[in-house]
mmCIF file with all atom_site columns, all heavy atoms in Angstrom:
data_model
loop_
_atom_site.group_PDB
_atom_site.id
_atom_site.type_symbol
_atom_site.label_atom_id
_atom_site.label_alt_id
_atom_site.label_comp_id
_atom_site.label_asym_id
_atom_site.label_entity_id
_atom_site.label_seq_id
_atom_site.pdbx_PDB_ins_code
_atom_site.Cartn_x
_atom_site.Cartn_y
_atom_site.Cartn_z
_atom_site.occupancy
_atom_site.B_iso_or_equiv
_atom_site.pdbx_formal_charge
_atom_site.auth_seq_id
_atom_site.auth_comp_id
_atom_site.auth_asym_id
_atom_site.auth_atom_id
_atom_site.pdbx_PDB_model_num
ATOM 1   N N   . LEU A 1 249 ? 11.405 7.825  41.917 1.00 0.00 ? 356 LEU A N   1
ATOM 2   C CA  . LEU A 1 249 ? 12.727 8.404  42.125 1.00 0.00 ? 356 LEU A CA  1
ATOM 3   C C   . LEU A 1 249 ? 12.667 9.483  43.196 1.00 0.00 ? 356 LEU A C   1
ATOM 4   O O   . LEU A 1 249 ? 13.553 9.572  44.058 1.00 0.00 ? 356 LEU A O   1
ATOM 5   C CB  . LEU A 1 249 ? 13.246 8.982  40.815 1.00 0.00 ? 356 LEU A CB  1
ATOM 6   C CG  . LEU A 1 249 ? 14.594 9.717  40.880 1.00 0.00 ? 356 LEU A CG  1
ATOM 7   C CD1 . LEU A 1 249 ? 15.686 8.789  41.401 1.00 0.00 ? 356 LEU A CD1 1
ATOM 8   C CD2 . LEU A 1 249 ? 14.970 10.277 39.509 1.00 0.00 ? 356 LEU A CD2 1
ATOM 9   N N   . GLY A 1 250 ? 11.610 10.289 43.157 1.00 0.00 ? 357 GLY A N   1
ATOM 10  C CA  . GLY A 1 250 ? 11.434 11.305 44.187 1.00 0.00 ? 357 GLY A CA  1
ATOM 11  C C   . GLY A 1 250 ? 11.281 10.699 45.565 1.00 0.00 ? 357 GLY A C   1
ATOM 12  O O   . GLY A 1 250 ? 11.795 11.242 46.551 1.00 0.00 ? 357 GLY A O   1
ATOM 13  N N   . TRP A 1 251 ? 10.598 9.576  45.638 1.00 0.00 ? 358 TRP A N   1
ATOM 14  C CA  . TRP A 1 251 ? 10.409 8.886  46.926 1.00 0.00 ? 358 TRP A CA  1
ATOM 15  C C   . TRP A 1 251 ? 11.747 8.414  47.481 1.00 0.00 ? 358 TRP A C   1
ATOM 16  O O   . TRP A 1 251 ? 12.006 8.516  48.688 1.00 0.00 ? 358 TRP A O   1
ATOM 17  C CB  . TRP A 1 251 ? 9.452  7.715  46.729 1.00 0.00 ? 358 TRP A CB  1
ATOM 18  C CG  . TRP A 1 251 ? 9.244  6.895  47.971 1.00 0.00 ? 358 TRP A CG  1
ATOM 19  C CD1 . TRP A 1 251 ? 8.532  7.239  49.082 1.00 0.00 ? 358 TRP A CD1 1
ATOM 20  C CD2 . TRP A 1 251 ? 9.775  5.591  48.227 1.00 0.00 ? 358 TRP A CD2 1
ATOM 21  N NE1 . TRP A 1 251 ? 8.564  6.226  50.025 1.00 0.00 ? 358 TRP A NE1 1
ATOM 22  C CE2 . TRP A 1 251 ? 9.332  5.197  49.512 1.00 0.00 ? 358 TRP A CE2 1
ATOM 23  C CE3 . TRP A 1 251 ? 10.568 4.719  47.487 1.00 0.00 ? 358 TRP A CE3 1
ATOM 24  C CZ2 . TRP A 1 251 ? 9.668  3.973  50.067 1.00 0.00 ? 358 TRP A CZ2 1
ATOM 25  C CZ3 . TRP A 1 251 ? 10.904 3.489  48.047 1.00 0.00 ? 358 TRP A CZ3 1
ATOM 26  C CH2 . TRP A 1 251 ? 10.459 3.133  49.321 1.00 0.00 ? 358 TRP A CH2 1
ATOM 27  N N   . ILE A 1 252 ? 12.605 7.898  46.610 1.00 0.00 ? 359 ILE A N   1
ATOM 28  C CA  . ILE A 1 252 ? 13.929 7.461  47.046 1.00 0.00 ? 359 ILE A CA  1
ATOM 29  C C   . ILE A 1 252 ? 14.733 8.652  47.563 1.00 0.00 ? 359 ILE A C   1
ATOM 30  O O   . ILE A 1 252 ? 15.380 8.574  48.624 1.00 0.00 ? 359 ILE A O   1
ATOM 31  C CB  . ILE A 1 252 ? 14.672 6.775  45.880 1.00 0.00 ? 359 ILE A CB  1
ATOM 32  C CG1 . ILE A 1 252 ? 13.963 5.470  45.506 1.00 0.00 ? 359 ILE A CG1 1
ATOM 33  C CG2 . ILE A 1 252 ? 16.122 6.500  46.258 1.00 0.00 ? 359 ILE A CG2 1
ATOM 34  C CD1 . ILE A 1 252 ? 14.506 4.814  44.259 1.00 0.00 ? 359 ILE A CD1 1
ATOM 35  N N   . MET A 1 253 ? 14.681 9.753  46.838 1.00 0.00 ? 360 MET A N   1
ATOM 36  C CA  . MET A 1 253 ? 15.423 10.945 47.261 1.00 0.00 ? 360 MET A CA  1
ATOM 37  C C   . MET A 1 253 ? 14.840 11.531 48.546 1.00 0.00 ? 360 MET A C   1
ATOM 38  O O   . MET A 1 253 ? 15.576 12.029 49.409 1.00 0.00 ? 360 MET A O   1
ATOM 39  C CB  . MET A 1 253 ? 15.392 11.986 46.142 1.00 0.00 ? 360 MET A CB  1
ATOM 40  C CG  . MET A 1 253 ? 16.065 11.535 44.855 1.00 0.00 ? 360 MET A CG  1
ATOM 41  S SD  . MET A 1 253 ? 15.845 12.701 43.477 1.00 0.00 ? 360 MET A SD  1
ATOM 42  C CE  . MET A 1 253 ? 16.831 14.084 44.035 1.00 0.00 ? 360 MET A CE  1
ATOM 43  N N   . TYR A 1 254 ? 13.528 11.451 48.679 1.00 0.00 ? 361 TYR A N   1
ATOM 44  C CA  . TYR A 1 254 ? 12.851 11.980 49.859 1.00 0.00 ? 361 TYR A CA  1
ATOM 45  C C   . TYR A 1 254 ? 13.219 11.195 51.114 1.00 0.00 ? 361 TYR A C   1
ATOM 46  O O   . TYR A 1 254 ? 13.224 11.735 52.225 1.00 0.00 ? 361 TYR A O   1
ATOM 47  C CB  . TYR A 1 254 ? 11.340 11.926 49.631 1.00 0.00 ? 361 TYR A CB  1
ATOM 48  C CG  . TYR A 1 254 ? 10.501 12.525 50.724 1.00 0.00 ? 361 TYR A CG  1
ATOM 49  C CD1 . TYR A 1 254 ? 10.330 13.900 50.834 1.00 0.00 ? 361 TYR A CD1 1
ATOM 50  C CD2 . TYR A 1 254 ? 9.856  11.711 51.659 1.00 0.00 ? 361 TYR A CD2 1
ATOM 51  C CE1 . TYR A 1 254 ? 9.542  14.453 51.835 1.00 0.00 ? 361 TYR A CE1 1
ATOM 52  C CE2 . TYR A 1 254 ? 9.065  12.252 52.655 1.00 0.00 ? 361 TYR A CE2 1
ATOM 53  C CZ  . TYR A 1 254 ? 8.913  13.625 52.741 1.00 0.00 ? 361 TYR A CZ  1
ATOM 54  O OH  . TYR A 1 254 ? 8.132  14.163 53.731 1.00 0.00 ? 361 TYR A OH  1
ATOM 55  N N   . GLY A 1 255 ? 13.543 9.926  50.941 1.00 0.00 ? 362 GLY A N   1
ATOM 56  C CA  . GLY A 1 255 ? 13.816 9.062  52.085 1.00 0.00 ? 362 GLY A CA  1
ATOM 57  C C   . GLY A 1 255 ? 15.222 9.176  52.647 1.00 0.00 ? 362 GLY A C   1
ATOM 58  O O   . GLY A 1 255 ? 15.532 8.558  53.674 1.00 0.00 ? 362 GLY A O   1
ATOM 59  N N   . ARG A 1 256 ? 16.089 9.954  52.024 1.00 0.00 ? 363 ARG A N   1
ATOM 60  C CA  . ARG A 1 256 ? 17.455 10.046 52.524 1.00 0.00 ? 363 ARG A CA  1
ATOM 61  C C   . ARG A 1 256 ? 17.498 10.837 53.832 1.00 0.00 ? 363 ARG A C   1
ATOM 62  O O   . ARG A 1 256 ? 16.677 11.710 54.086 1.00 0.00 ? 363 ARG A O   1
ATOM 63  C CB  . ARG A 1 256 ? 18.347 10.725 51.480 1.00 0.00 ? 363 ARG A CB  1
ATOM 64  C CG  . ARG A 1 256 ? 17.958 12.150 51.201 1.00 0.00 ? 363 ARG A CG  1
ATOM 65  C CD  . ARG A 1 256 ? 18.776 12.777 50.088 1.00 0.00 ? 363 ARG A CD  1
ATOM 66  N NE  . ARG A 1 256 ? 18.242 14.093 49.736 1.00 0.00 ? 363 ARG A NE  1
ATOM 67  C CZ  . ARG A 1 256 ? 18.487 15.190 50.405 1.00 0.00 ? 363 ARG A CZ  1
ATOM 68  N NH1 . ARG A 1 256 ? 19.272 15.146 51.465 1.00 0.00 ? 363 ARG A NH1 1
ATOM 69  N NH2 . ARG A 1 256 ? 17.960 16.353 50.022 1.00 0.00 ? 363 ARG A NH2 1
ATOM 70  N N   . SER A 1 257 ? 18.481 10.523 54.651 1.00 0.00 ? 364 SER A N   1
ATOM 71  C CA  . SER A 1 257 ? 18.640 11.203 55.933 1.00 0.00 ? 364 SER A CA  1
ATOM 72  C C   . SER A 1 257 ? 19.252 12.584 55.720 1.00 0.00 ? 364 SER A C   1
ATOM 73  O O   . SER A 1 257 ? 20.118 12.770 54.859 1.00 0.00 ? 364 SER A O   1
ATOM 74  C CB  . SER A 1 257 ? 19.534 10.374 56.854 1.00 0.00 ? 364 SER A CB  1
ATOM 75  O OG  . SER A 1 257 ? 19.825 11.081 58.041 1.00 0.00 ? 364 SER A OG  1
ATOM 76  N N   . LEU A 1 258 ? 18.824 13.548 56.525 1.00 0.00 ? 365 LEU A N   1
ATOM 77  C CA  . LEU A 1 258 ? 19.338 14.904 56.396 1.00 0.00 ? 365 LEU A CA  1
ATOM 78  C C   . LEU A 1 258 ? 20.647 15.115 57.154 1.00 0.00 ? 365 LEU A C   1
ATOM 79  O O   . LEU A 1 258 ? 21.383 16.065 56.861 1.00 0.00 ? 365 LEU A O   1
ATOM 80  C CB  . LEU A 1 258 ? 18.297 15.910 56.908 1.00 0.00 ? 365 LEU A CB  1
ATOM 81  C CG  . LEU A 1 258 ? 17.014 16.018 56.078 1.00 0.00 ? 365 LEU A CG  1
ATOM 82  C CD1 . LEU A 1 258 ? 16.053 17.011 56.717 1.00 0.00 ? 365 LEU A CD1 1
ATOM 83  C CD2 . LEU A 1 258 ? 17.331 16.457 54.659 1.00 0.00 ? 365 LEU A CD2 1
ATOM 84  N N   . ASN A 1 259 ? 20.946 14.252 58.137 1.00 0.00 ? 366 ASN A N   1
ATOM 85  C CA  . ASN A 1 259 ? 22.198 14.374 58.900 1.00 0.00 ? 366 ASN A CA  1
ATOM 86  C C   . ASN A 1 259 ? 22.404 15.801 59.404 1.00 0.00 ? 366 ASN A C   1
ATOM 87  O O   . ASN A 1 259 ? 23.382 16.474 59.065 1.00 0.00 ? 366 ASN A O   1
ATOM 88  C CB  . ASN A 1 259 ? 23.397 13.944 58.048 1.00 0.00 ? 366 ASN A CB  1
ATOM 89  C CG  . ASN A 1 259 ? 23.313 12.486 57.631 1.00 0.00 ? 366 ASN A CG  1
ATOM 90  O OD1 . ASN A 1 259 ? 22.914 11.638 58.426 1.00 0.00 ? 366 ASN A OD1 1
ATOM 91  N ND2 . ASN A 1 259 ? 23.676 12.192 56.392 1.00 0.00 ? 366 ASN A ND2 1
ATOM 92  N N   . ASN A 1 260 ? 21.443 16.268 60.193 1.00 0.00 ? 367 ASN A N   1
ATOM 93  C CA  . ASN A 1 260 ? 21.462 17.658 60.640 1.00 0.00 ? 367 ASN A CA  1
ATOM 94  C C   . ASN A 1 260 ? 22.625 17.949 61.582 1.00 0.00 ? 367 ASN A C   1
ATOM 95  O O   . ASN A 1 260 ? 22.821 17.281 62.594 1.00 0.00 ? 367 ASN A O   1
ATOM 96  C CB  . ASN A 1 260 ? 20.143 17.989 61.334 1.00 0.00 ? 367 ASN A CB  1
ATOM 97  C CG  . ASN A 1 260 ? 18.986 17.979 60.370 1.00 0.00 ? 367 ASN A CG  1
ATOM 98  O OD1 . ASN A 1 260 ? 19.115 18.416 59.232 1.00 0.00 ? 367 ASN A OD1 1
ATOM 99  N ND2 . ASN A 1 260 ? 17.834 17.481 60.813 1.00 0.00 ? 367 ASN A ND2 1
ATOM 100 N N   . GLU A 1 261 ? 23.407 18.942 61.232 1.00 0.00 ? 368 GLU A N   1
ATOM 101 C CA  . GLU A 1 261 ? 24.506 19.422 62.056 1.00 0.00 ? 368 GLU A CA  1
ATOM 102 C C   . GLU A 1 261 ? 24.531 20.947 61.993 1.00 0.00 ? 368 GLU A C   1
ATOM 103 O O   . GLU A 1 261 ? 23.795 21.557 61.232 1.00 0.00 ? 368 GLU A O   1
ATOM 104 C CB  . GLU A 1 261 ? 25.846 18.847 61.564 1.00 0.00 ? 368 GLU A CB  1
ATOM 105 C CG  . GLU A 1 261 ? 25.922 17.324 61.636 1.00 0.00 ? 368 GLU A CG  1
ATOM 106 C CD  . GLU A 1 261 ? 27.225 16.798 61.079 1.00 0.00 ? 368 GLU A CD  1
ATOM 107 O OE1 . GLU A 1 261 ? 28.010 17.599 60.528 1.00 0.00 ? 368 GLU A OE1 1
ATOM 108 O OE2 . GLU A 1 261 ? 27.449 15.576 61.184 1.00 0.00 ? 368 GLU A OE2 1
#
Side-chain angles (χ1 to χ4, degrees):
L356 176 59
W358 177 73
I359 294 172
M360 297 173 69
Y361 184 79
R363 64 185 172 81
S364 173
L365 293 178
N366 298 320
N367 293 322
E368 298 177 353

